[in-house]
Amino acid sequence: MTVTDNTTNRLDSLGASGDGPSFAILDEESKREIRRALLQAVAVPGYQVPFGSREMPVARGWGSGGLQVTLAIVGPDDTVKIIDQGDDEGVNAVNLRRLVVSSTGIPETTEAREASIIQSRHRIPEDELTATQTLVLQVPVPEPLRGIERDVRELARMHAEADYSRMWVSLYEDKVRNGVITQSTGYPCLVNGRYVVATTPIPRWDIPRLHMSQFLTLFGAGREKRVYAIPPHTIVEPLTFDDVPFEVERIEGAACRLCGSTDSFLVDSSGEVDSWACSDTAWCRARRSQG
Amino acid sequence: MGYAAARGGLTAIKNAENLVRSLRDEHPSPPVGHDQLTGRLRLLVDKVMGEAGLWDPQLASRALVEAEGDHVEATHLLRAHRSTLPRLAVSIAVHVDDARVLRRVVPAYREPGGNQILGRSTDYSARMLSARRNLPAVDIDRRSPGATTGDLRDGMRRMISVLRSLDLLVDRRRQDDPEPFDITATPARPPAPRSARLATMARAETGALINQWYRNILGPDGYLHEVTLGEVRHSEIEVNVLHPLSGKSTTVGYVRITEVEAIEDLDGDDEDRERFDAGFGACLGHNERKAIAMANLDIACHRDAGRTSLEQSILMTTDGLDSAGFLEHLKLPHYVTFRSMVDRKFAVREARLTRTDLAPRGVGTDAR
Amino acid sequence: MGLQRHRMVQGQEVAGMRGPSPIPTPDPVLTVNGLGKIYGRDDAGTIDRTGSDAGSARDPITGAIVAAWDVNFEVAAGEAIGIVGESGSGKSTVLRCIAGDLEATSGDVRLSTHMEGRSNVLLADPATRRRMRIDQLSVVYQDPSEGLALSVTAGGNIADPLTAAGVRSFAKIRERASELLSRTEVPLNRMDDIVRNFSGGMRQRVQIARALANKPRILLLDEPTTGLDASVAAGVLDLIRGLLEELDLAAVVVSHDFSVIEMLTNRCIVMHHGRVVESALTDQLLEDPHHPYSQRLVSAARA
């Protein structure tokens, strides 16, 4: 991550705004404010930091939080990859990439390994990310406890006191009623032994890769005006009982119809028989080209 | 436009944009100029500026044209535009008494201090579509109040000042919320200062705020008093900033605002039964419905004092961009999350067949 | 009576002191001193203008309600103290101030389980007070919906305090919940039913099971059988008496019903308009009440 160095002269930046859109859409003051919130988020892993979420050229709920995070941290030396459902060509990914690239002039890539910033909705790339990379996840609902409590004052208290027993009760009830824990995506995780977070919704498949990762993950929730972070080398534990193993998505005998993969997250591309395909399209393509 | 499995995006997006642009901009009718909108669709432009929290009639008109009349979309365009601009100055607080009054209604007294001004209003007009041919000649007395400027505010005493002088108003002027809470810099969540609630309501989507009011009148989850309105005013007010060089207060422009005072009859056991309280509402532009709903919700929220979820509803559910954006995000691809849900359906099914960890139960077991 | 016998074994002879002052208890688990709760605006004269002698808890001048004032008592392990009075006498207020459901206006409450009794828990922050409720002090309410989540199963209601105390094994939660439900005589085949579908008596049994989940030292019972059918109430009372004997708990029982107080407690205090008017051994009070209000209560109960 390279932080923009365009903050030398306030008057310069003010003057620049009169001539047209500034670098990375947002004005420098706004970007600085978002970066301050991000620093706080990194310092207190899993804590939802309020920030003055700006209205973006995309609607609330369409990645406005992830976009603000990306624009706040992007610099001229960055290379960006943007995916939606694992797909670089997803219609919303295309749109967000167009905005980031056109407002910054930085290069784009579909190769996860080449990107310094990867903005994503609902997936973590299959390639293992490294310490020089930042993953930005778009978050529709940042509050992991909303299913059990609606009052935001009470929610704030529960997080402050690490009072998560009702969350455990809901997992217990789920297991008793259904025989399994039915929470699918956005599985609640305890970060650094302290805060429970909503994991965007990424599928369960991706959860283990947040644990003790090499890379920094930043979560941006634009509509709810919160950012949070999982720094590298942080313990991330999906909430589950000691004797009820956490399960990831598996389909017996399924393989990608394109690359034959059985060890990536597969999506059911048409709902018909044997229509499984890798959700991470760039990874799938690379695998095919390697033969 | 087909776009297979929500892919192949860029061309489809560009084609969609071109379609919107060409069918809008190349429509055979004459283009709509911004003076037409501000002149003929004044209330629509005002509503957009109010919900955007940005006073610029020209930009708002342009936004409405680009949004093909969708006021939420136009609001979005204005707010997103604001995000690109630096904050150059903060205006100096002005007293609403210094506004030039264009319209004033005082339902609480028959003969309030100063004039009542019906002004530009259809409140008492018959709601009949006018058949153009039968229109009577318009006969405006241009000297009548509302069409003129001048010293209309002479002798106008605000109803809360009248009540205060009669010792009929609870005094809750306070020192702990001196600077208005800036909702564009800090998100407001309960418990929030009053200025945060007022700012949120001033920018709220008009329909959402009216609904919030009405569901507290008639809905299942609230009880809100019908207030007596002390003042409904539409006025023009100066915007002043400190001059960066001279350091003196300088007028940089004018905005129109609608402001409302709502007198509340206190009837709670723990309330002062000898006095009234008052709620306040104000928003950019001429939008009386919104300002009235706001004033009533302001006092309702104060009296509620956190007992119900009213404050949370006001702060977190009335923004038009938040609600509309989140609603429409359901159109985005969701096949990864849906795939994960399908996985759990099968997991539950399997668990029902093989369940050994619990005693068998009558309900929900598979017939097989 | 069982509790009496228990105390004889411990050899703790009670002084049988009469009047509103506390009876000293060796090694108290719960100590309450000068507890008070006032609603509304009071002034320097409010206390004098309210109470049993004044005939009202409401201050005629300021309108303040002195729900409880100057309440003192101690409870040792294996002992139960009763708080008796009519509804509105302030007895539930006292219990709720100790539990932390209400903020007391004044007073000093110590638990031997909290900093070895060196700190007034009324001054502790709300988070600390909520943590005490996990494994030090439990409450059984008259209305089960206050102590239970009705939309959650019986087992899930017990899982709540267990997980709050850090239990993370599903099997252990099931095991402990079964154990507690057996002990409180809830049929085990109802463990996975939601509590809303339970009868009143069964809900109280689940509430008691939940209250005991983490083996607290202190149990506060607020009208635990009020509103139940007589036969059901008798069963729940038997259960509570058995548990108090068995678990060496320090218990406070709030009730308007002398038969409950008589069955469960060995000492009790009588409250009237927010004040303690008498403090005595339960059987002595029933035989020979001193304060006129106590006399009225006892004769009404005996009628």
Side-chain angles (χ1 to χ4, degrees):
Chain A
M1 165 174 57
T2 317
V3 168
T4 48
D5 195 27
N6 192 12
T7 55
T8 45
N9 191 324
R10 186 176 145 80
L11 282 176
D12 279 356
S13 68
L14 296 183
S17 69
D19 308 325
S22 45
F23 179 82
I25 301 171
L26 294 166
D27 78 286
E28 288 306 316
E29 289 292 319
S30 301
K31 282 189 261 186
R32 213 175 299 169
E33 192 186 298
I34 297 165
R35 286 197 295 267
R36 274 197 291 269
L38 290 172
L39 283 174
Q40 198 182 337
V42 170
V44 190
Y47 172 68
Q48 299 171 46
V49 183
F51 80 112
S53 180
R54 301 301 194 272
E55 279 81 6
M56 302 305 291
V58 300
R60 298 290 203 208
W62 293 60
S64 69
L67 185 61
Q68 285 179 80
V69 169
T70 296
L71 294 177
I73 63 172
V74 74
D77 303 329
D78 278 309
T79 302
V80 71
K81 171 183 166 77
I82 298 184
I83 50 175
D84 189 319
Q85 316 289 300
D87 186 356
D88 299 88
E89 291 305 311
V91 64
N92 198 44
V94 167
N95 193 39
L96 290 167
R97 181 162 56 242
R98 184 169 69 145
L99 275 167
V100 172
V101 169
S102 68
S103 68
T104 58
I106 63 163
E108 59 180 77
T109 181
T110 57
E111 298 310 313
R113 290 168 200 280
E114 289 172 9
S116 57
I117 299 173
I118 298 166
Q119 181 176 329
S120 170
R121 176 165 167 266
H122 297 183
R123 276 309 313 275
I124 298 177
E126 301 287 349
D127 274 322
E128 199 157 311
L129 304 181
T130 66
T132 58
Q133 297 180 292
T134 299
L135 176 66
V136 176
L137 287 172
Q138 300 167 208
V139 185
V141 179
E143 181 48 72
L145 311 179
R146 190 154 294 152
I148 54 165
E149 176 59 55
R150 311 295 293 182
D151 184 325
V152 296
R153 293 165 298 189
E154 176 65 3
L155 286 166
R157 182 200 67 74
M158 290 165 79
H159 282 297
E161 296 177 12
D163 178 0
Y164 296 127
S165 62
R166 278 168 63 203
M167 196 70 182
W168 285 103
V169 170
S170 77
L171 296 172
Y172 169 90
E173 294 282 291
D174 198 4
K175 170 84 178 138
V176 163
R177 286 175 196 187
N178 302 304
V180 292
I181 293 173
T182 58
Q183 171 90 41
S184 51
T185 53
Y187 199 91
C189 290
L190 186 68
V191 174
N192 202 27
R194 178 58 183 84
Y195 286 102
V196 171
V197 300
T199 47
T200 79
I202 53 173
R204 288 167 169 243
W205 181 271
D206 289 338
I207 296 287
R209 281 183 293 156
L210 291 170
H211 175 61
M212 295 304 278
S213 68
Q214 294 294 308
F215 55 94
L216 167 66
T217 307
L218 300 173
F219 299 79
R223 183 177 54 88
E224 298 210 24
K225 304 161 184 70
R226 292 287 187 277
V227 290
Y228 52 104
I230 298 177
H233 313 292
T234 302
I235 298 168
V236 177
E237 305 157 279
L239 293 189
T240 187
F241 297 102
D242 297 344
D243 47 354
V244 179
F246 176 74
E247 297 167 340
V248 299
E249 294 85 351
R250 284 247 175 246
I251 315 112
E252 208 57 51
C256 174
R257 66 187 159 85
L258 300 172
C259 73
S261 164
T262 55
D263 59 351
S264 67
F265 183 76
L266 299 176
V267 289
D268 193 358
S269 52
S270 67
E272 287 172 23
V273 181
D274 288 334
S275 66
W276 301 110
C278 293
S279 134
D280 187 337
T281 51
W283 186 84
C284 183
R285 196 168 49 243
R287 202 172 148 110
R288 273 176 281 154
S289 68
Q290 285 158 15
Chain B
M1 290 255 100
Y3 56 104
R7 297 198 74 224
L10 195 55
T11 318
I13 293 172
K14 283 183 172 161
N15 287 342
E17 286 175 347
N18 286 337
L19 206 52
V20 169
R21 204 169 296 143
S22 59
L23 292 177
R24 180 188 68 204
D25 298 348
E26 290 159 26
H27 189 268
S29 64
V32 182
H34 99 84
D35 54 337
Q36 280 176 296
L37 279 166
T38 51
R40 296 184 188 278
L41 297 179
R42 171 185 67 106
L43 295 174
L44 178 59
V45 177
D46 279 12
K47 180 156 130 179
V48 167
M49 291 191 295
E51 294 178 15
L54 182 73
W55 184 270
D56 191 328
Q58 194 159 349
L59 274 186
S61 308
R62 200 205 293 174
L64 271 166
V65 170
E66 286 189 17
E68 300 188 83
D70 178 344
H71 89 274
V72 173
E73 186 70 19
T75 303
H76 188 174
L77 289 167
L78 280 192
R79 288 226 203 136
H81 173 72
R82 183 200 171 278
S83 296
T84 66
L85 304 176
R87 176 172 297 196
L88 298 173
V90 176
S91 62
I92 301 166
V94 281
H95 199 289
V96 275
D97 280 348
D98 297 331
R100 192 170 67 92
V101 179
L102 303 169
R103 166 167 154 82
R104 182 199 190 205
V105 178
V106 183
Y109 279 87
R110 185 174 178 177
E111 293 176 8
N115 292 311
Q116 300 220 44
I117 308 159
L118 199 49
R120 188 172 175 179
S121 171
T122 56
D123 279 355
Y124 299 100
S125 311
R127 264 56 167 213
M128 302 283 284
L129 274 176
S130 37
R132 228 169 214 300
R133 244 171 287 168
N134 301 335
L135 268 185
V138 179
D139 178 19
I140 297 180
D141 177 358
R142 296 210 175 265
R143 289 162 304 165
S144 72
T148 61
T149 60
D151 295 328
L152 288 170
R153 63 174 178 259
D154 281 0
M156 271 189 196
R157 278 189 81 196
R158 244 161 224 286
M159 276 311 109
I160 60 164
S161 322
V162 175
L163 294 176
R164 200 169 271 150
S165 64
L166 298 169
D167 191 22
L168 276 174
L169 192 74
V170 171
D171 189 1
R172 57 183 176 93
R173 286 170 288 187
R174 47 196 295 174
Q175 308 302 318
D176 58 351
D177 186 13
E179 284 297 318
F181 188 101
D182 183 356
I183 56 166
T184 67
T186 316
R189 287 199 166 189
R194 184 185 184 198
S195 62
R197 298 199 295 262
L198 291 175
T200 301
M201 288 193 280
R203 282 210 320 178
E205 205 268 323
T206 305
L209 210 60
I210 293 167
N211 174 260
Q212 193 63 243
W213 178 82
Y214 197 53
R215 66 177 290 156
N216 273 283
I217 294 282
L218 206 57
D221 58 358
Y223 177 71
L224 182 143
H225 272 176
E226 229 180 276
V227 287
T228 305
L229 297 181
E231 296 278 347
V232 179
R233 293 184 180 192
H234 176 220
S235 16
E236 188 174 64
I237 198 160
E238 290 175 350
V239 177
N240 300 321
V241 298
L242 289 181
H243 193 283
L245 300 179
S246 71
K248 286 181 185 153
S249 172
T250 311
T251 301
V252 291
Y254 297 85
V255 297
R256 279 182 294 106
I257 61 165
T258 306
E259 74 157 306
V260 167
E261 279 173 12
I263 312 296
E264 175 75 313
D265 178 14
L266 298 178
D267 63 354
D269 286 341
D270 51 348
E271 293 179 316
D272 188 344
R273 299 300 302 268
E274 296 173 16
R275 290 177 184 80
F276 296 99
D277 205 335
F280 182 71
C283 60
L284 284 179
H286 193 188
N287 192 342
E288 293 173 12
R289 266 179 228 129
K290 183 175 182 175
I292 295 168
M294 178 174 167
N296 202 341
L297 287 166
D298 171 48
I299 183 62
C301 202
H302 169 73
R303 296 183 66 198
D304 181 67
R307 276 189 282 271
T308 73
S309 55
L310 180 61
E311 185 183 23
Q312 180 171 339
S313 295
I314 288 171
L315 290 175
M316 296 180 63
T317 72
T318 57
D319 190 83
L321 262 56
D322 286 357
S323 55
F326 197 50
L327 176 97
E328 294 197 48
H329 108 283
L330 297 173
K331 294 183 286 187
L332 287 174
H334 278 86
Y335 59 83
V336 162
T337 47
F338 189 67
R339 161 77 209 112
S340 192
M341 288 180 216
V342 170
D343 173 84
R344 287 290 97 187
K345 292 292 172 205
F346 285 116
V348 170
R349 190 171 294 180
E350 197 174 324
R352 292 245 159 108
L353 290 173
T354 59
R355 156 167 225 171
T356 54
D357 55 335
L358 300 167
R361 310 182 64 217
V363 188
T365 45
D366 199 301
R368 286 180 297 174
Chain C
M1 258 174 60
L3 289 171
Q4 291 279 17
R5 203 166 52 240
H6 184 77
R7 293 189 43 200
M8 295 292 279
V9 171
Q10 287 196 330
Q12 295 166 356
E13 196 53 59
V14 172
M17 187 171 145
R18 306 302 290 263
S21 11
I23 301 164
T25 305
D27 301 326
V29 177
L30 169 67
T31 310
V32 176
N33 269 309
L35 188 68
K37 173 71 183 173
I38 300 176
Y39 293 97
R41 283 170 291 185
D42 61 320
D43 65 24
T46 295
I47 297 303
D48 292 339
R49 292 189 296 264
T50 54
S52 180
D53 296 340
S56 173
R58 186 178 182 278
D59 181 350
I61 308 289
T62 67
I65 308 283
V66 182
W69 196 252
D70 197 25
V71 177
N72 308 286
F73 61 85
E74 295 179 335
V75 199
E79 186 189 38
I81 188 167
I83 306 180
V84 69
E86 293 163 305
S87 60
S89 63
K91 55 193 193 305
S92 289
T93 301
V94 170
L95 183 133
R96 281 166 190 267
C97 286
I98 297 169
D101 293 338
L102 285 177
E103 204 176 319
T105 308
S106 69
D108 186 313
V109 172
R110 284 158 200 264
L111 316 183
S112 65
T113 51
H114 176 67
M115 299 177 73
E116 292 163 344
R118 279 180 283 105
S119 170
N120 179 3
V121 300
L122 299 181
L123 303 176
D125 61 86
T128 308
R129 298 207 71 186
R130 271 187 286 273
R131 276 199 296 277
M132 290 174 198
R133 294 283 290 269
I134 295 172
D135 58 3
Q136 299 179 30
L137 176 154
S138 289
V139 186
V140 175
Y141 296 93
Q142 176 184 347
D143 178 358
S145 69
E146 279 196 72
L148 296 174
L150 297 186
S151 59
V152 168
T153 63
N157 269 290
I158 297 170
D160 187 17
L162 293 176
T163 55
V167 180
R168 293 287 177 268
S169 154
F170 185 73
K172 281 204 178 105
I173 292 169
R174 302 281 302 168
E175 193 185 310
R176 177 75 178 138
S178 313
E179 197 179 295
L180 287 158
L181 291 172
S182 307
R183 180 62 193 87
T184 52
E185 292 152 21
V186 176
L188 276 188
N189 63 6
R190 303 216 59 190
M191 177 161 149
D192 297 333
D193 289 348
I194 63 167
V195 173
R196 182 168 286 114
N197 298 338
F198 284 28
S199 67
M202 207 60 86
R203 288 182 187 186
Q204 281 313 52
R205 291 172 186 276
V206 176
Q207 210 193 159
I208 294 164
R210 177 196 155 101
L212 299 175
N214 291 317
K215 302 180 179 168
R217 298 284 311 280
I218 301 163
L219 185 63
L220 310 180
L221 300 128
D222 189 3
E223 304 271 11
T225 55
T226 305
L228 300 180
D229 294 345
S231 60
V232 175
V236 173
L237 278 181
D238 268 338
L239 170 68
I240 295 171
R241 186 164 71 169
L243 289 167
L244 293 183
E245 280 179 36
E246 177 184 316
L247 299 174
D248 210 28
L249 291 159
V252 179
V253 182
V254 161
S255 183
H256 70 286
D257 183 349
F258 265 111
S259 64
V260 172
I261 297 292
E262 185 174 12
M263 187 159 175
L264 297 182
T265 71
N266 32 7
R267 282 189 296 123
C268 68
I269 59 179
V270 181
M271 288 189 72
H272 186 220
H273 292 312
R275 308 299 162 88
V276 176
V277 295
E278 187 159 355
S279 167
L281 292 173
T282 304
D283 39 8
Q284 279 178 5
L285 181 86
L286 284 163
E287 275 164 31
D288 178 24
H290 283 193
H291 191 275
Y293 175 71
S294 311
Q295 288 165 357
R296 245 181 32 234
L297 275 186
V298 170
S299 68
R302 290 281 181 255

